[in-house]
Amino acid sequence: MTAAVFFGCAFIAFGPALALYIFTIATEPLRVIFLIIGAFFWLVSLLFSSLFWFMARTITDNKDGPIQKYLLILGVLVSVLIQETFRFMYYKLLKKASEGLKSINPDETAPSMRLLAYVSGLGFGIMSGVFAFVNTLSDSLGPGTVGIHGDSPQFFLNSAFMTLVIILLHMFWGIIFFDGCEKKKWSALLVVLLTHLLVSALTFISPHYGINLMSTYIIMVLMGIWAFFVAGGSCRSLKLCLLCQDKDFLLFNQRSR
Amino acid sequence: MGFQEEDCSFFHSQMQRAGTSQGRAMLTFMASDSEEEVCDERTSLMSAESPPPRCCQEARQGLEDGENAAQWRSQDSEEDLEEDADHYVCSGVPGQPSGLEEELTLKYGAKHVIMLFVPVTLCMIVVVATIKSVRFYTEKNGQLIYTPFTEDTPSVGQRLLNSVLNTLIMISVIVAMTIFLVVLYKYRCYKFIHGWLIMSSLMLLFLFTYIYLGEVLKTYNVAMDYPTLFLTVWNFGAVGMVCIHWKGPLVLQQAYLIMISALMALVFIKYLPEWSAWVILGAISVYDLVAVLCPKGPLRMLVETAQERNEPIFPALIYSSAMVWTVGMAKLDPSSQGALQLPYDPEMEDSYDSFGEPSYPEVFEPPLPGSPGGELEEEEERGVKLGLGDFIFYSVLVGKAAATGSGDWNTTLACFVAILIGLCLTLLLLAVFKKALPALPISITFGLIFYFSTDNLVRPFMDTLASHQLYI
């Protein structure tokens, strides 16, 4: 516990997201606004999911026992569905907003749909990660011993890594999802939904952290590769970038400096 | 406790200030009613440049006192206050293609939204950090006289009734003060208003800072001797008074305004009882809506009177996000309204140094006749203004969410995001309607909805998920 665990876990969970925010989003006001709106949409989806779970619980009169666990599982699955629905609604909103922006100014200043896909995915991810982890983080600052009752002593680390992977996954899902919507490839949407359900379902086997985390990370890497190709990357461009031979990128960077 | 007795009288003056200024948040858009009719309303999403040479937005210097206005104004208007006819600033380059104009304005729109997000976020961060660490502000230690009914009643109905009564009293105090202020302004009692604002700034900057510093030092168990304390508080307060009421660097002025809003919000969080606070927040939004939008609303009358008189806004009640910068343009044709404007120091521009005094010789340098050759680039940095009352009530909402939750950060974050979204929507509406708009209703409504729903619905769900280590 205490400060070391707090800072360590905080940076594990939110470090990459913070870096992405600082380097790609913080400089442009419009992107910040879209990020916050994305976060808001996720929040509203969470609200509806909680409402559903709450109503289901009141209907079953709060009886204890296995039914609570089943209700929770149902709640999680319904929540995933609602989140993806809200992602779709956000896509629709952005589409309308893009058209509106284009009609106001015909110049090329409105962000492209790909960029908005990334920003919205990141917004969803950040909000999701923060909501999942921040209470745990604040508890880690206080005194205590983890795992004293036989639970895993790696609780905080595990939660931090899980939060990280969820944030990155949301970002990749956002890119793939929006691209699927743009190209009317509904199979992409279905795959996003199914992988999201899979990742959430994997967390049901919770005490077995190893399997849980490893599989989720594998899924994240696969999604990342897919999103990379969807967003227009290719092996060639990756090679050029890594070998610092990408002239367009270098020139662009110099210009913006 | 000693503090309690002292603060009644202080609260009176604070309430006077708070009542008038912070009850209503208003976003206004400065439209010019210049005789040339050149500059008409500018919104964040409209062309930032003024079409023709004379761009003056007459400063829509509404009496901001008593209103919290976020205003879009052209920065030019600031120096255009009561100056001579040949002082004018050209903003924008005339004859720019319309596409470019609109592009610029859209950029300005998003940029100005962020320019308001940052101070609102900072104020909330200060309030939440204080609430979570300094226990003084969450301890119940009596109530203000403006909320005389206690909430320690056994029955729910009685408690609700008491909170509604408290709200009625508070709102009527605020309404009375606003009307008093409008009357004072109409009859040009500027000295009185000036004195009142200075008194309340003094209280905030010295007394409340002293108390705040004392509590923070107590929390962290740091000893500080009286001479050091005196020096610190004196410097802080004196520089604050100078920055807010006279001149100072813009960033410092903004920082002081954020700090005094945070201090005021902390006072409200401490002294308003639970349910009364929520009902008051709701009622203030409704009042704000009514006062700003109804034709006979006090705030609207205030703004209109101020516009008629072309008077400056009272400092110390409005947060301004941008500097006025005007770069003069040398006219190629000196005969045509040819006057030059020199570049002004940004600091001089933005400090509102006096109330209603028509001449600003110390602020604006008189333009020197210069050679008409060559064209300087003109830029106009338009700013948004938001009243301090908005900051205060947003921070009260988030602070209360942080204070009353059972150590729950999710509620606080949800309220924070809701308020930012409300602010975004309000600014969008401002761009569409181009006139004074209340900044409280949408944000506070979202904030309240999200507070109650997150606290009662989302929190149990997330807690259950976290305890089983499930992720959605």
Side-chain angles (χ1 to χ4, degrees):
Chain A
M1 306 282 272
T2 73
V5 171
F6 173 77
F7 281 111
C9 289
F11 288 132
I12 288 175
F14 299 119
L18 192 66
L20 283 168
Y21 175 80
I22 290 176
F23 289 118
T24 57
I25 296 189
T27 46
E28 290 279 321
L30 207 53
R31 294 181 203 174
V32 176
I33 294 175
F34 283 123
L35 185 88
I36 295 186
I37 299 179
F40 180 71
F41 269 74
W42 188 87
L43 191 61
V44 177
S45 80
L46 180 66
L47 192 63
F48 281 109
S49 328
S50 313
L51 188 64
F52 170 83
W53 180 72
F54 188 78
M55 287 191 323
R57 242 184 19 159
T58 34
I59 288 175
T60 62
D61 286 331
N62 267 344
K63 286 195 288 277
D64 267 332
I67 191 151
Q68 293 298 324
K69 190 131 172 80
Y70 296 141
L71 269 184
L72 197 59
I73 292 176
L74 180 66
V76 168
L77 298 176
V78 167
S79 169
V80 170
L81 281 169
I82 296 180
Q83 281 179 53
E84 297 303 328
T85 312
F86 270 83
R87 207 195 292 271
F88 185 70
M89 282 167 50
Y90 192 36
Y91 167 75
K92 284 285 180 208
L93 180 73
L94 284 178
K95 200 99 177 94
K96 275 213 188 110
S98 280
E99 280 155 15
L101 287 176
K102 275 205 174 58
S103 67
I104 291 180
N105 55 328
D107 286 353
E108 195 59 48
T109 54
S112 70
M113 201 37 124
R114 267 187 204 157
L115 181 66
L116 290 178
Y118 158 68
V119 169
S120 78
L122 194 59
F124 266 60
I126 288 180
M127 203 60 180
S128 164
V130 162
F131 259 65
F133 196 47
V134 89
N135 275 333
T136 315
L137 258 188
S138 82
D139 282 339
S140 79
L141 200 53
T145 308
V146 191
I148 202 168
H149 288 296
D151 305 309
S152 161
Q154 316 299 337
F155 175 73
F156 288 119
L157 266 185
N158 181 63
S159 305
F161 278 108
M162 196 64 197
T163 309
L164 170 64
V165 82
I166 292 278
I167 296 179
L168 292 177
L169 269 173
H170 268 289
M171 189 177 74
F172 296 141
W173 283 329
I175 298 174
I176 298 170
F177 193 94
F178 277 39
D179 183 70
C181 290
E182 285 278 289
K183 302 203 173 103
K184 303 270 190 276
K185 264 172 35 183
W186 308 116
S187 59
L189 302 197
L190 198 60
V191 172
V192 167
L193 180 64
L194 286 177
T195 42
H196 196 168
L197 282 170
L198 181 64
V199 165
S200 284
L202 277 173
T203 62
F204 295 152
I205 59 172
S206 176
H208 305 287
Y209 293 151
I211 311 172
N212 182 1
L213 266 183
M214 278 315 300
S215 348
T216 316
Y217 269 89
I218 292 172
I219 295 178
M220 188 263 290
V221 169
L222 290 172
M223 289 284 129
I225 295 174
W226 187 6
F228 176 72
F229 285 110
V230 151
S234 63
C235 293
R236 196 180 137 269
S237 66
L238 185 62
K239 193 177 90 162
L240 284 178
C241 180
L242 288 174
L243 296 175
C244 291
Q245 282 170 1
D246 191 343
K247 295 200 181 58
D248 291 333
F249 179 69
L250 293 171
L251 280 174
F252 175 74
N253 261 1
Q254 294 212 322
R255 236 196 336 259
S256 59
R257 244 177 285 144
Chain B
M1 181 153 102
F3 171 64
Q4 209 177 342
E5 285 95 63
E6 294 171 65
D7 58 42
C8 282
S9 50
F10 296 132
F11 281 133
H12 272 294
S13 58
Q14 281 317 318
M15 273 315 297
Q16 284 175 339
R17 180 206 174 117
T20 52
S21 62
Q22 282 94 24
R24 285 84 43 218
M26 208 164 80
L27 279 163
T28 59
F29 173 67
M30 298 283 265
S32 130
D33 39 10
S34 65
E35 40 291 358
E36 275 105 276
E37 274 123 49
V38 173
C39 308
D40 21 0
E41 298 100 16
R42 297 209 184 163
T43 72
S44 54
L45 293 183
M46 293 255 298
S47 168
E49 302 94 56
S50 63
R54 212 200 100 130
C55 165
C56 343
Q57 303 296 49
E58 291 297 297
R60 201 184 262 163
Q61 266 99 22
L63 178 60
E64 300 303 331
D65 194 7
E67 47 193 83
N68 306 309
Q71 298 171 333
W72 287 95
R73 24 188 317 240
S74 114
Q75 298 304 25
D76 314 335
S77 53
E78 243 200 306
E79 56 272 2
D80 282 346
L81 323 161
E82 302 93 21
E83 72 283 349
D84 325 333
D86 48 351
H87 287 226
Y88 59 85
V89 183
C90 303
S91 61
V93 179
Q96 241 177 2
S98 60
L100 193 50
E101 281 178 6
E102 283 152 355
E103 170 193 315
L104 285 175
T105 49
L106 184 61
K107 269 203 201 122
Y108 282 164
K111 194 163 78 159
H112 289 115
V113 172
I114 300 300
M115 283 204 265
L116 279 188
F117 273 8
V118 172
V120 169
T121 309
L122 280 174
C123 191
M124 289 195 220
I125 286 177
V126 170
V127 169
V128 170
T130 309
I131 293 274
K132 289 281 186 189
S133 52
V134 178
R135 267 186 335 136
F136 172 73
Y137 287 103
T138 42
E139 286 164 4
K140 287 287 345 140
N141 239 336
Q143 298 180 191
L144 298 173
I145 59 158
Y146 304 101
T147 52
F149 296 94
T150 176
E151 283 195 8
D152 274 334
T153 55
S155 74
V156 170
Q158 179 71 16
R159 188 173 184 183
L160 194 60
L161 180 68
N162 280 354
S163 48
V164 170
L165 289 173
N166 280 339
T167 308
L168 284 175
I169 297 178
M170 185 78 134
I171 300 284
S172 24
V173 165
I174 289 176
V175 171
M177 302 233 197
T178 314
I179 294 182
F180 180 51
L181 201 68
V182 175
V183 162
L184 280 180
Y185 188 65
K186 262 191 149 40
Y187 292 109
R188 299 176 189 264
C189 308
Y190 296 131
K191 295 276 185 226
F192 189 92
I193 298 176
H194 195 168
W196 174 5
L197 284 178
I198 290 207
M199 265 277 296
S200 62
S201 310
L202 271 174
M203 295 304 173
L204 273 173
L205 282 171
F206 287 98
L207 180 73
F208 289 163
T209 306
Y210 168 74
I211 293 168
Y212 179 79
L213 197 57
E215 292 307 321
V216 169
L217 290 175
K218 262 189 236 172
T219 305
Y220 290 104
N221 206 16
V222 173
M224 191 187 260
D225 51 312
Y226 273 115
T228 312
L229 184 69
F230 174 72
L231 202 64
T232 311
V233 170
W234 168 253
N235 277 316
F236 180 83
V239 174
M241 289 301 288
V242 166
C243 272
I244 296 175
H245 292 281
W246 195 47
K247 301 176 205 177
L250 179 70
V251 173
L252 204 55
Q253 185 188 34
Q254 292 174 334
Y256 270 105
L257 290 174
I258 293 176
M259 281 189 267
I260 64 178
S261 310
L263 283 172
M264 198 66 207
L266 284 168
V267 162
F268 276 133
I269 293 173
K270 181 174 169 65
Y271 287 106
L272 286 180
E274 290 278 334
W275 291 19
S276 307
W278 299 113
V279 183
I280 285 175
L281 278 172
I284 281 272
S285 321
V286 171
Y287 171 65
D288 195 20
L289 196 63
V290 162
V292 173
L293 295 180
C294 287
K296 278 297 166 194
L299 290 181
R300 187 154 161 167
M301 280 173 30
L302 220 51
V303 171
E304 284 165 4
T305 316
Q307 277 169 21
E308 284 164 29
R309 296 183 196 172
N310 279 338
E311 276 171 354
I313 308 162
F314 283 112
L317 288 172
I318 301 289
Y319 174 94
S320 162
S321 62
M323 294 202 270
V324 178
W325 324 5
T326 41
V327 178
M329 172 154 132
K331 282 282 173 221
L332 292 175
D333 176 13
S335 59
S336 69
Q337 307 157 348
L340 286 182
Q341 287 275 330
L342 291 181
Y344 289 126
D345 269 357
E347 286 101 37
M348 297 210 298
E349 277 320 287
D350 211 33
S351 56
Y352 312 98
D353 54 1
S354 54
F355 300 102
E357 265 116 15
S359 65
Y360 288 70
E362 68 273 27
V363 180
F364 309 115
E365 298 162 49
L368 301 173
S371 65
E375 235 187 28
L376 299 175
E377 220 177 284
E378 293 188 343
E379 269 187 63
E380 175 185 289
E381 188 75 28
R382 197 172 277 202
V384 196
K385 288 177 161 44
L386 188 64
L388 287 196
D390 293 324
F391 280 89
I392 292 177
F393 284 109
Y394 292 160
S395 305
V396 166
L397 196 149
V398 174
K400 271 286 186 205
T404 61
S406 39
D408 191 40
W409 284 91
N410 288 344
T411 316
T412 314
L413 283 166
C415 291
F416 167 69
V417 172
I419 287 181
L420 285 187
I421 294 289
L423 190 59
C424 205
L425 278 174
T426 313
L427 286 169
L428 191 66
L429 283 179
L430 182 71
V432 168
F433 289 110
K434 305 174 211 163
K435 56 179 214 158
L437 285 184
L440 279 183
I442 301 181
S443 286
I444 299 281
T445 311
F446 276 13
L448 287 174
I449 292 175
F450 274 88
Y451 171 75
F452 287 110
S453 54
T454 310
D455 205 33
N456 298 313
L457 296 175
V458 175
R459 194 166 47 94
F461 185 50
M462 291 307 284
D463 282 347
T464 319
L465 286 180
S467 65
H468 289 98
Q469 278 212 291
L470 301 179
Y471 282 82
I472 54 170

